[in-house]
Amino acid sequence: MPCRIVHAHSRYLLEKLLVLNNINGDDGTPGFGVYLHWPFCAAKCPYCDFNSHVRHKPVDQREYVTGFLSEMAAMRDETGPRNVTSVFIGGGTPSLMEPQTVEALLDGIAKYWGLPDGIEITMEANPSSVEAERFRSYRLAGINRVSLGVQSLNDADLKFLGRLHNVEEAKIAIGLARDIFPRLSFDLIYARPKQTLEAWEDELKQAISYAADHLSLYQLTIEDDTPFQALHRAGKLIIPSDDLAADLYDVTERVTRDAGLPNYEVSNYAVPGAESRHNLTYWRYGDYVGIGPGAHGRFTAGDGFKNVTITERMPERWLEKTRESGHAIVEREKLDRQQQGDELLLMGLRLVEGLDVVRFEELSGRAFNQETLNNLAMDGLIEPVSNTRLRATQSGRMVLNSVVASLAS
């Protein structure tokens, strides 16, 4: 069975990678991304701490487009002209947007920064809100990569996770996305209650057989102020032990690697050449603007500081602020060299390609402590990739926060 799955998967991807030649790939630079946050969902999942909101009456999408365009103009005044390398429309559930809304938002980016032909333009979608005609209209609007929130290929666990779709609907959505968009990614959550190593391996092999070129595979975590946190505190939700979670991660690494989708980041796996260009901008500590309710941005200024912007989270208040001020930025911060170095360290060590040590030293104005480097290497937690790059090992990625804290001290 595994050989047949890998063969079918590889044949599909060979065909898909021919299409990828028409999409600007990764050139190794941090890049400049534009993130748009659509905050509305049909239902709130019990594990989710993202800025998402349920509205029982349809929102006026034209009003929100006006707000997005106003905030784009304000952000453009701050960033100046930049070469956009990727766009990501996240949420929430962006696939609740009308195709005309998506087209208007992309037109806005083109107006204020320019939208080069062939760059990666990703939109998140939920299987429960997928329609073939809507997908085709998103593609015509300019979307060339879709990320599906599948989360599980088990109906009982989908219900437990609060998802509105079932496995059959997920498979239909995957098939539509695979046929319509040049690139496809989907998410799965593992380390679920009572999940065994064997069950996860079977589910993961099934997912790979559906021929996505990218998978985001996350361990279930208990986030603050979520229904799952309340259940966990009451002893009604038991997640796998740390040892079992580590074993599940090992299974994930082995199965994806054997299938030709090695991990390039702690939780992300791709056919070489199909890595998420937008997420690489985050992990390489590039610049990006965040537009929409609750969006975060980070972009460099002429004074050497990095500007952090955070917008109003509540959609209706966000909309009102854009009418009053042209934007809804409610928090700002300027990061100095040491703070930027710490963030670069945190993000860069998530990548299999590792951290550019020279860039870290230039940005932070300091070098790593050699004794600390030697100790972490002897413990098998970090390793050199080349003369100028450093990365966490697979063991190091399991305790990444500790590794980062040691190097930052």
Side-chain angles (χ1 to χ4, degrees), residues 255-367:
V255 171
T256 52
R257 182 180 61 249
D258 290 349
L261 285 88
N263 74 308
Y264 67 98
E265 187 269 344
V266 171
S267 301
N268 286 270
Y269 304 76
V271 173
E275 299 86 355
S276 168
R277 181 65 182 88
H278 189 83
N279 286 340
L280 282 171
T281 291
Y282 296 152
W283 297 319
R284 288 175 178 158
Y285 204 51
D287 283 4
Y288 59 95
V289 292
I291 298 161
H296 292 214
R298 271 170 165 73
F299 50 89
T300 50
D303 56 8
F305 288 87
K306 179 159 282 198
N307 291 300
V308 177
T309 61
I310 302 175
T311 61
E312 166 62 48
R313 290 174 58 87
M314 187 60 64
E316 291 78 11
R317 287 203 296 266
W318 174 88
L319 187 59
E320 188 60 33
K321 285 179 180 293
T322 64
R323 294 188 185 117
E324 295 171 353
S325 306
H327 65 82
I329 298 171
V330 292
E331 293 184 47
R332 291 181 182 270
E333 185 179 1
K334 282 184 175 288
L335 303 180
D336 61 23
R337 293 178 66 186
Q338 180 176 340
Q339 291 171 311
Q340 292 180 59
D342 288 345
E343 289 195 339
L344 172 61
L345 176 64
L346 177 65
M347 303 303 282
L349 284 181
R350 296 182 64 88
L351 289 168
V352 171
E353 72 180 24
L355 171 74
D356 185 332
V357 176
V358 173
R359 184 182 175 215
F360 170 81
E361 292 176 347
E362 291 176 346
L363 188 63
S364 67
R366 63 186 177 88

Side-chain angles (χ1 to χ4, degrees), residues 203-225:
E203 185 175 351
L204 185 52
K205 287 179 178 178
Q206 182 184 356
I208 291 169
S209 75
Y210 296 148
D213 54 58
H214 186 288
L215 294 173
S216 295
L217 307 172
Y218 302 107
Q219 292 196 7
L220 178 64
T221 55
I222 305 300
E223 304 292 349
D224 290 341
D225 301 321

Side-chain angles (χ1 to χ4, degrees), residues 41-50 52-54 92-93 126 128 149-151 158-165 189 223 225-228:
C41 280
K44 183 76 172 179
C45 297
Y47 58 84
C48 178
D49 69 339
F50 293 165
S52 57
H53 303 267
V54 177
T93 307
N126 278 346
S128 57
V150 174
Q151 312 308 2
L158 284 173
K159 185 176 181 179
F160 159 74
L161 292 169
R163 307 299 289 170
L164 297 181
H165 62 274
I189 295 173
E223 304 292 349
D225 301 321
T226 62
F228 270 10

